Amino acid sequence: MSAVAHDADPAWQRAVRTQFPIITAHPELAYLDSAATSQKPQAVLDAVLTYLTSSNANAGRGTYPWANRTTEAIERARDRVKEFLGDPEPERSAVHFTSGTTEGLRTVARDWLTEHLTDGDEILVPFADHRANLDPWLEARDLLAARGTEVRIRALPYQETSGDYDHRALRSVVGPRTRFVAATHVHHVYGGDMNVHRLRAAVGPEVPICLDAAQSVGHLPLRVGDPALDVDFVVFSGHKAFALPGTGAVWARNTRGPLLRPAGWQGTPNTAGLVSLLAALDWLDAVGVDRVSAHVAALAVRLTDRLRRLDAYEILGCPAGLAADSALPAAQRRHGIVTFRHREIPSDDLGFILFSHGFMVRADSHCQAGADEKDGSVRVSLHVYNTGEEIDRLLTVLASLG
């Protein structure tokens, strides 16, 4: 059996779990929807409360101590994002704060991509990932068309059985006018690592790649200095990485194409949100992202191994990527997301049934591009505060339903 199947140190996990007040206040409930948003540890809540009660002010607009401390906190958060991502050239890169992944991707699309393309260029984008990683590129194409510049959008190919990108077929859609690729690091429905290093091998060394990292930052190690992760933009949401809602970031390498300079007047930043992001990244480093990832992977294995034995359920994506006995390399494993359907019970009904037993899951089409109501499914998304006991209780309920 693979080492990934074993739970993390139980004492460590219990100590981490107790740091989430909303989790410990409701022991009768199991929060299994962390792909939508994560819960917040006490350290993050304390940092926000301390800021709001001791030095709340606008950033970059005053010279008195509260304003100076706020400005310094925002700059620390900017540097902290670079450090957390393992930026090998922080003096060259840039970090721009946004309200989340959606706004971040739109910032790259509107304020960078539209200035980078000319008539006849092509871009590759995902048509079966989160809509946030499709709509901005379609909007950029339409904006360019209104200016008289025709840009062709080509779809990244997918493998039918797993939902992963089809890297072999990718070479057939890459051409001499390919100028940009938008990709996802971890799929929000199937939980798969989309093997971005294979995208770089297919498109060559000069084409910029933008990475939607909403489901990877805070869940597993992401190091932009790793040659296998040679991307130009990393975009993520703070609220999925233990920070407050309305907080996100765009990291730009600034080595291919023009510098990223968000257009327009930059108004008041989400100061409390960015203080929470700074605290969340510090907390993650203290806890250990590697340990978080290992714990979550073990829980996903625990769920998948038993769920795939229940004939009433269909697991979406590639179950072998989660199985304890999987021969797949670590890079192809699923990361804390298990999505499934009951063969007779509609997914929205199943979601209500599970909540009646104390389980909070997502039960719909998950904002997946190209999906509609008929494509609904139940998504269990795990994080460090979840336990093996919660998984066992969930499986008992699922087994009782058929």
Side-chain angles (χ1 to χ4, degrees):
M1 183 175 286
S2 168
V4 77
H6 296 287
D7 288 335
D9 177 9
W12 169 83
Q13 197 277 330
R14 283 194 298 271
V16 171
R17 180 180 167 90
T18 61
Q19 296 179 50
F20 291 84
I22 195 171
I23 298 295
T24 57
H26 300 282
E28 77 284 3
L29 299 175
Y31 182 75
L32 303 174
D33 195 23
S34 291
T37 195
S38 63
Q39 299 303 333
K40 319 307 173 193
Q42 189 67 53
V44 170
L45 302 176
D46 288 346
V48 173
L49 183 60
T50 298
Y51 165 71
L52 291 175
T53 56
S54 66
S55 57
N56 178 43
N58 212 329
R61 290 165 173 81
T63 57
Y64 52 91
W66 291 2
N68 290 339
R69 287 201 293 271
T70 297
T71 301
E72 290 167 2
I74 302 306
E75 290 310 308
R76 283 203 309 276
R78 203 181 309 278
D79 292 339
R80 194 69 182 85
V81 169
K82 294 183 182 184
E83 182 182 10
F84 188 79
L85 296 179
D87 189 343
E89 297 182 285
E91 69 287 348
R92 188 173 195 172
S93 64
V95 170
H96 301 281
F97 292 121
T98 66
S99 64
T101 303
T102 301
E103 187 193 349
L105 294 169
R106 280 203 166 98
T107 297
V108 177
R110 289 192 312 259
D111 300 338
W112 186 85
L113 186 61
T114 55
E115 306 302 317
H116 182 62
L117 300 178
T118 58
D119 207 49
D121 284 344
E122 298 181 347
I123 64 175
L124 307 182
V125 304
F127 275 73
D129 296 359
H130 198 288
R131 289 196 58 168
N133 204 14
L134 173 62
D135 289 355
W137 318 117
L138 300 179
E139 292 165 3
R141 176 200 59 189
D142 295 343
L143 179 61
L144 286 164
R147 300 177 187 171
T149 300
E150 296 298 325
V151 170
R152 182 181 181 188
I153 288 185
R154 306 195 70 175
L156 283 169
Y158 292 85
Q159 299 176 22
E160 272 190 42
T161 55
S162 68
D164 295 348
Y165 299 137
D166 187 336
H167 298 91
R168 292 175 181 166
L170 180 63
R171 296 185 184 277
S172 67
V173 298
V174 174
R177 297 300 300 271
T178 300
R179 296 290 183 264
F180 179 81
V181 178
T184 299
H185 194 192
V186 172
H187 199 280
H188 73 293
V189 177
Y190 308 119
D193 186 320
M194 304 299 275
N195 292 296
V196 180
H197 65 283
R198 294 182 180 173
L199 293 181
R200 172 58 66 202
V203 302
E206 302 302 324
V207 177
I209 296 175
C210 178
L211 192 65
D212 173 352
Q215 299 298 343
S216 54
V217 170
H219 294 77
L220 67 155
L222 192 163
R223 313 296 290 177
V224 296
D226 184 346
L229 196 70
D230 185 11
V231 298
D232 300 87
F233 301 96
V234 172
V235 187
F236 68 94
S237 300
H239 74 95
K240 297 185 181 185
F242 304 115
L244 295 185
T247 307
V250 178
W251 171 86
R253 192 183 295 273
N254 287 336
T255 59
R256 298 178 179 95
L259 301 180
L260 173 62
R261 293 189 175 92
W265 175 257
Q266 302 302 301
T268 299
N270 179 0
T271 53
L274 295 176
V275 166
S276 79
L277 179 61
L278 175 61
L281 298 183
D282 286 344
W283 184 86
L284 274 163
D285 269 348
V287 169
V289 180
D290 286 334
R291 299 187 78 175
V292 171
S293 180
H295 174 73
V296 171
L299 293 180
V301 166
R302 190 171 184 148
L303 174 56
T304 306
D305 268 4
R306 285 180 54 189
L307 185 61
R308 65 178 181 165
R309 299 174 197 153
L310 301 178
D311 293 338
Y313 296 91
E314 171 198 7
I315 300 176
L316 304 190
C318 179
L322 279 167
D325 57 358
S326 175
L328 293 176
Q332 292 178 275
R333 288 192 173 277
R334 310 288 132 175
H335 292 283
I337 295 174
V338 183
T339 304
F340 55 89
R341 296 189 183 105
H342 193 284
R343 300 189 190 279
E344 296 184 5
I345 302 173
S347 294
D348 52 352
D349 291 344
L350 183 54
F352 284 116
I353 292 170
L354 290 176
F355 180 70
S356 73
H357 289 275
F359 300 101
M360 292 177 279
V361 299
R362 179 88 176 256
D364 55 25
S365 58
H366 315 297
C367 302
Q368 185 175 12
D372 55 32
E373 290 183 6
K374 68 178 175 59
D375 299 309
S377 56
V378 171
R379 182 182 69 184
V380 172
S381 50
L382 305 158
H383 224 315
V384 68
Y385 32 71
N386 294 123
T387 66
E389 185 271 337
E390 289 176 333
I391 298 303
D392 293 344
R393 285 196 290 118
L394 173 65
L395 285 160
T396 297
V397 172
L398 292 174
S400 73
L401 299 175

